[in-house]
Amino acid sequence: MNTIETSSVLYTHYERKEGNQQTTHYCPGCGHGVIQKMIASAIEELGVQNRAIFLSPVGCSVFSYYYYDTGNIQCSHGRAPAVGTGVKRVLPDSVVVCYQGDGDLAGIGMTEIIHAANRGEQLTVFFINNATYGMTGGQMAPTTLLHEKTLTTPFGRESERDGKPLAMAEVIASLDAPAYVRRCAVSSTKELLRTREAVRIGLKNQVDKLGFSFIEILSPCPTNWKMSAVESRNHIEQVMKQFYPLKTFVDKRPENVCIKNNSFPLMNDDELLSLLTGDLTARSFESPVIDSPKTITIAGFGGQGILSGGTLLANSAMAHGLDVSWLPSYGPEMRGGKASVTVIVSDSSIPSPLDEKPDFLLAMNGPSLQYYKDKVKTGGTIIVNSTLVDDEIGRDDVNVYGIPATAMAQEALIPSAASVVMVTSLAVLSEVVSVFSLKESLNASLKRRELLDANMDLMKTAENYITSNFLVNNYNKKV
Ligand SMILES: Cc1ncc(C[n+]2csc(CCOP(=O)(O)OP(=O)(O)O)c2C)c(N)n1
Ligand code: SF4
């Protein structure tokens, strides 16, 4: 019988989750898991487990120390090259693995990485470029492609407003000190084999005290790209690789000729636009009357589309020309953990995104209702997902409405769209945004176009339900 064994550098049991100690916390199809396995195997092959120190970043890979049976340090956001510099100078025989995402390395940590590379520190840096802030729900990263839609660029990244994508391997290769700079991908078997080779070379360079090695790896984030695992690998092959060419930029190993390529063969806006589809034009609508800022909290568990519901609401309010803040709160898991988002909409500037007393609570499950119900302002509104919530509210100073959001979304075969039902209900019951602008915003920003019709139908169903149950000749009827 064939068995697939993991590396001995990885723990056999991950202590983090009782009852689920054999799987990592990464989403299916994520690149982090396969890359981390390659790094572990290379450490094992090089026989340096007892000298290896893994520097975990802030980002989806924050929990790497639960997986690597090596020395471990969890660094502040973006600071792995600075921490690594300190470790390496105190322990010159250690083998330091800096593992960083694009938000971590090319965003908040840009200073640290440039100076460590420029000093030629004896480090191996793995730069996982998934072109998004994965852990925080898919905001634009410095590496996000032009015209790519993200949570913070719902109509696509624009160079005039957001700058062009940062090609980090080219930037690092423009410095004199680095010993090895290469860009790889984990998008096909062929590229996986090349990446495995690059990972091994990068770590061996450190063992041989050859200098600073930088390996950028194009890596899928199916969850935030809103693609299947296969689609996200194709996206790397067909779109990302054209902007981020896979090549060795610098290789100063004695057996190799030094290759240095400072040209930037990047695509221009039009070339990129031709690769990406979608309506990029933001629309504006007549503004609803908002006499004072309104705070809406949507709360439930990960997987109910909480953050997307908040985004839809925020985009829609922006399309009305209103000022908006969007503040998510969730655990590191993308599925199952507590999740909430607070959106504030206002016709004047919003001094702070923090408001613990919402005007509207959209409670997607029982625990979130219990947690937030007493925080809702007097005169405010609570809309509950009546499929999952039948708890007593215990307040007579707020308006309460119920709608079977989960059941409706399941019936429409888009179970993760329960929040769309809730947000539509809010639009029907309040002046915060209009159902029309919700629909237009969804149309403009939905990446999975094949689900557009089902979402539109679901909104209509929710609108009809609220209108017929609560508004037609019966305004005060509540649950
Ligand atoms: C100082 C600080 N700023 C911001 C954050 C919020 N934050 C957590 S992870 C993250 C981005 C991570 O993105 P990336 O580095 O690309 O890694 P990924 O999650 O995609 O693997 C941000 C901004 C934080 N935790 N600490
Ligand atoms: S959100 Fe993206 S980067 Fe994070 S674990 Fe999931 S697929 Fe991976």
Side-chain angles (χ1 to χ4, degrees):
M1 188 177 78
N2 289 327
T3 55
I4 299 173
E5 287 183 8
T6 188
S7 165
S8 63
V9 169
L10 297 171
Y11 290 115
T12 48
H13 282 78
Y14 306 139
E15 287 301 322
R16 181 160 181 268
K17 274 191 177 173
E18 209 172 329
N20 180 12
Q21 298 189 323
Q22 308 238 270
T23 55
T24 64
H25 66 290
Y26 299 125
C27 311
C30 175
H32 278 302
V34 66
I35 297 166
Q36 296 207 327
K37 166 90 188 300
M38 287 181 190
I39 295 172
S41 300
I43 291 173
E44 185 180 350
E45 279 166 39
L46 292 166
V48 293
Q49 180 173 8
N50 291 339
R51 295 198 268 148
I53 300 176
F54 193 99
L55 306 186
S56 302
V58 169
C60 279
S61 47
V62 65
F63 291 138
S64 302
Y65 49 83
Y66 282 104
Y67 308 142
Y68 280 90
D69 185 5
T70 59
N72 283 289
I73 300 176
Q74 209 281 297
C75 304
S76 307
H77 212 356
R79 306 304 185 249
V83 174
T85 298
V87 171
K88 199 67 194 187
R89 290 187 182 198
V90 174
L91 300 171
D93 286 330
S94 58
V95 177
V96 175
V97 181
C98 295
Y99 186 93
Q100 300 187 260
D102 39 63
D104 192 77
L105 182 143
I108 194 168
M110 188 57 145
T111 311
E112 279 72 16
I113 189 64
I114 290 291
H115 289 296
N118 197 42
R119 293 191 304 265
E121 297 293 341
Q122 299 282 337
L123 298 172
T124 309
V125 176
F126 295 104
F127 171 46
I128 316 308
N129 180 1
N130 58 18
T132 190
Y133 285 18
M135 179 182 166
T136 42
Q139 292 85 351
M140 189 195 90
T143 51
T144 298
L145 294 176
L146 285 178
H147 310 301
E148 192 169 342
K149 290 176 181 174
T150 70
L151 202 59
T152 43
T153 56
F155 305 109
R157 179 178 186 162
E158 286 175 20
S159 56
E160 305 77 42
R161 187 191 52 209
D162 311 313
K164 292 200 172 182
L166 263 174
M168 283 307 299
E170 285 86 341
V171 171
I172 300 293
S174 72
L175 304 171
D176 269 342
Y180 187 67
V181 182
R182 181 163 172 181
R183 182 183 290 119
C184 317
V186 287
S187 45
S188 66
T189 309
K190 186 177 73 183
E191 300 305 349
L192 281 167
L193 291 172
R194 289 179 173 157
T195 305
R196 192 173 70 171
E197 180 200 33
V199 166
R200 196 171 185 286
I201 293 171
L203 286 168
K204 182 155 188 314
N205 285 348
Q206 194 179 155
V207 174
D208 295 343
K209 301 199 186 309
L210 213 64
F212 184 87
S213 296
F214 183 90
I215 295 138
E216 174 171 345
I217 304 174
L218 305 184
S219 173
C221 173
T223 299
N224 288 304
W225 293 358
K226 305 202 183 339
M227 294 179 188
S228 69
V230 173
E231 285 165 348
S232 59
R233 279 168 166 67
N234 290 341
H235 177 73
I236 294 178
E237 285 287 317
Q238 289 156 17
V239 181
M240 280 185 91
K241 266 168 69 168
Q242 307 216 30
F243 187 82
Y244 293 118
L246 305 187
K247 59 196 277 193
T248 302
F249 296 87
V250 177
D251 189 348
K252 292 184 183 168
R253 287 177 297 160
E255 65 269 34
N256 281 280
V257 186
C258 168
I259 304 163
K260 191 152 193 175
N261 185 335
N262 291 342
S263 66
F264 287 66
L266 306 181
M267 299 177 76
N268 65 33
D269 292 21
D270 291 338
E271 286 169 323
L272 253 176
L273 184 55
S274 68
L275 284 170
L276 298 150
T277 52
D279 175 14
L280 306 172
T281 321
R283 303 266 311 264
S284 281
F285 310 98
E286 208 178 305
S287 185
V289 185
I290 303 244
D291 49 4
S292 58
K294 296 286 179 243
T295 300
I296 304 106
T297 296
I298 312 175
F301 56 81
Q304 286 186 306
I306 307 278
L307 303 194
S308 326
T311 311
L312 181 59
L313 182 60
N315 286 344
S316 173
M318 279 193 286
H320 280 297
L322 296 167
D323 278 28
V324 177
S325 76
W326 178 94
L327 188 69
S329 166
Y330 46 84
E333 294 94 349
M334 295 298 291
R335 296 277 176 273
K338 271 198 239 168
S340 69
V341 59
T342 294
V343 176
I344 304 180
V345 303
S346 172
D347 59 2
S348 54
S349 55
I350 298 165
S352 165
L354 296 174
D355 182 4
E356 294 186 346
K357 290 185 169 297
D359 300 276
F360 297 91
L361 170 65
L362 277 49
M364 302 283 293
N365 67 354
S368 61
L369 176 71
Q370 291 307 326
Y371 183 78
Y372 285 105
K373 71 183 175 69
D374 293 329
K375 300 179 192 285
V376 176
K377 286 184 190 126
T378 296
T381 295
I382 300 177
I383 306 175
V384 296
N385 172 11
S386 58
T387 313
L388 300 183
V389 182
D390 59 1
D391 313 26
E392 280 295 313
I393 308 286
R395 286 189 62 176
D396 54 15
D397 60 338
V398 294
N399 304 303
V400 181
Y401 302 92
I403 183 161
T406 298
M408 283 179 176
Q410 279 168 348
E411 191 156 321
L413 302 179
I414 36 176
S416 61
S419 64
V420 170
V421 175
M422 300 295 275
V423 174
T424 308
S425 307
L426 172 78
V428 182
L429 289 163
S430 75
E431 293 288 305
V432 173
V433 291
S434 66
V435 178
F436 177 72
S437 74
L438 277 181
K439 286 182 176 167
E440 290 292 308
S441 298
L442 189 74
N443 183 21
S445 61
L446 189 71
K447 280 193 178 170
R448 297 191 61 188
R449 306 305 295 170
E450 72 277 15
L451 298 183
L452 185 62
D453 288 347
N455 272 279
M456 292 293 168
D457 290 348
L458 186 58
M459 283 175 148
K460 190 77 212 151
T461 310
E463 192 181 356
N464 289 343
Y465 183 95
I466 293 289
T467 308
S468 56
N469 280 280
F470 302 119
L471 300 187
V472 177
N473 298 328
N474 197 8
Y475 190 81
N476 289 323
K477 182 179 165 197
K478 300 172 190 171
V479 286

